[in-house]
Amino acid sequence: GENVEQHPSTLSVQEGDSAVIKCTYSDSASNYFPWYKQELGKRPQLIIDIRSNVGEKKDQRIAVTLNKTAKHFSLHITETQPEDSAVYFCAASKGPPSNTGKLIFGQGTTLQVKP
Amino acid sequence: NAGVTQTPKFQVLKTGQSMTLQCAQDMNHEYMSWYRQDPGMGLRLIHYSVGAGITDQGEVPNGYNVSRSTTEDFPLRLLSAAPSQTSVYFCASSTSSRTPRIGYTFGSGTRLTVV
């Protein structure tokens, strides 16, 4: 089955710097890659996603890149702010048109943005 | 529109007791899943369902049962609670519809302690 590895497990940056979190996946049939943000004591929330027919996607200060050949994808946060401090999870699944509904997560990255 | 509703929010069980964690969604989503979250281990998939009457095992199914008799409800049953099942449990739902997003929506979680 699918296995998702996420690095680093913790990341500390200064406010205004960029942060990069990387994930690798094992199942070449996976084609949907979402990223979730979880603040302390709260539920995970989807922040951005990418499908395998796209190499990069941006949404304001966050972007995700995908390298299908190498089977890895990354989350980039620019101009980090203290409110970006949270745990970030990557995930992978077989999305549409053959959506299996089986979403596998990485282990998470705790991002700390220092003021 | 309440989204994904989980009950209870907190529960303490004695070893060997059984209980059911409830999950309901009002978004007419086909896909529903149960995850457990443990420190340093991310979100691990317990069971998932692609529609009423259809369920399948995830990464860590042992000790848990599920059923999906309706589209709205996806209860998780602990057959004989063990301390290793102490965790935070999240229910999530998703749809195969391509727009606006196909990411999972999570419930607020159930914090379970087995003593």
Side-chain angles (χ1 to χ4, degrees):
Chain A
E2 177 65 276
N3 184 51
V4 179
E5 296 289 333
Q6 182 172 348
H7 299 281
S9 57
T10 60
L11 179 60
S12 182
V13 300
Q14 288 295 133
E15 182 177 0
D17 287 350
S18 295
V20 181
I21 302 170
K22 299 181 179 181
C23 290
T24 60
Y25 61 98
S26 62
D27 189 345
S28 57
S30 290
N31 60 359
Y32 174 64
F33 307 95
W35 286 88
Y36 285 79
K37 176 183 180 182
Q38 185 179 31
E39 297 176 346
L40 191 62
K42 296 190 176 180
R43 73 192 77 187
Q45 293 199 311
L46 180 69
I47 56 172
I48 194 168
D49 55 12
I50 191 169
R51 303 182 194 181
S52 59
N53 59 346
V54 175
E56 184 176 1
K57 184 177 179 180
K58 289 183 179 180
D59 184 0
Q60 299 182 327
R61 294 186 297 107
I62 61 173
V64 57
T65 58
L66 171 65
N67 183 328
K68 286 193 301 180
T69 303
K71 291 191 285 187
H72 67 71
F73 56 112
S74 300
L75 178 71
H76 304 253
I77 306 174
T78 59
E79 301 174 13
T80 53
Q81 301 168 3
E83 53 264 39
D84 293 329
S85 296
V87 180
Y88 291 81
F89 293 98
C90 62
S93 77
K94 298 180 182 65
S98 56
N99 195 345
T100 64
K102 186 176 181 180
L103 188 63
I104 302 299
F105 283 83
Q107 297 84 353
T109 296
T110 300
L111 173 65
Q112 181 186 27
V113 180
K114 298 178 179 178
Chain B
N1 189 335
V4 180
T5 302
Q6 285 185 241
T7 55
K9 293 191 183 300
F10 302 94
Q11 183 71 49
V12 178
L13 286 179
K14 293 182 178 179
T15 297
Q17 286 185 317
S18 62
M19 80 159 294
T20 299
L21 307 185
Q22 301 292 343
C23 176
Q25 53 91 9
D26 61 358
M27 298 173 284
N28 201 31
H29 282 176
E30 308 96 290
Y31 304 102
M32 296 187 75
S33 295
W34 276 102
Y35 291 88
R36 60 176 289 173
Q37 185 172 28
D38 304 292
M41 303 190 75
L43 294 152
R44 292 184 292 169
L45 181 63
I46 304 171
H47 286 285
Y48 66 105
S49 170
V50 299
I54 306 170
T55 63
D56 205 349
Q57 296 182 348
E59 302 168 280
V60 288
N62 293 339
Y64 308 94
N65 274 357
V66 293
S67 60
R68 184 98 180 267
S69 56
T70 67
T71 299
E72 295 77 20
D73 299 300
F74 191 43
L76 177 72
R77 297 183 190 84
L78 280 70
L79 309 174
S80 177
S84 60
Q85 294 179 304
T86 293
S87 187
V88 178
Y89 291 84
F90 286 101
C91 178
S93 73
S94 178
T95 178
S96 62
S97 172
R98 288 175 174 265
T99 59
R101 270 177 163 174
I102 60 171
Y104 269 89
T105 299
F106 281 81
S108 58
T110 296
R111 185 173 295 273
L112 175 68
T113 301
V114 183
V115 298

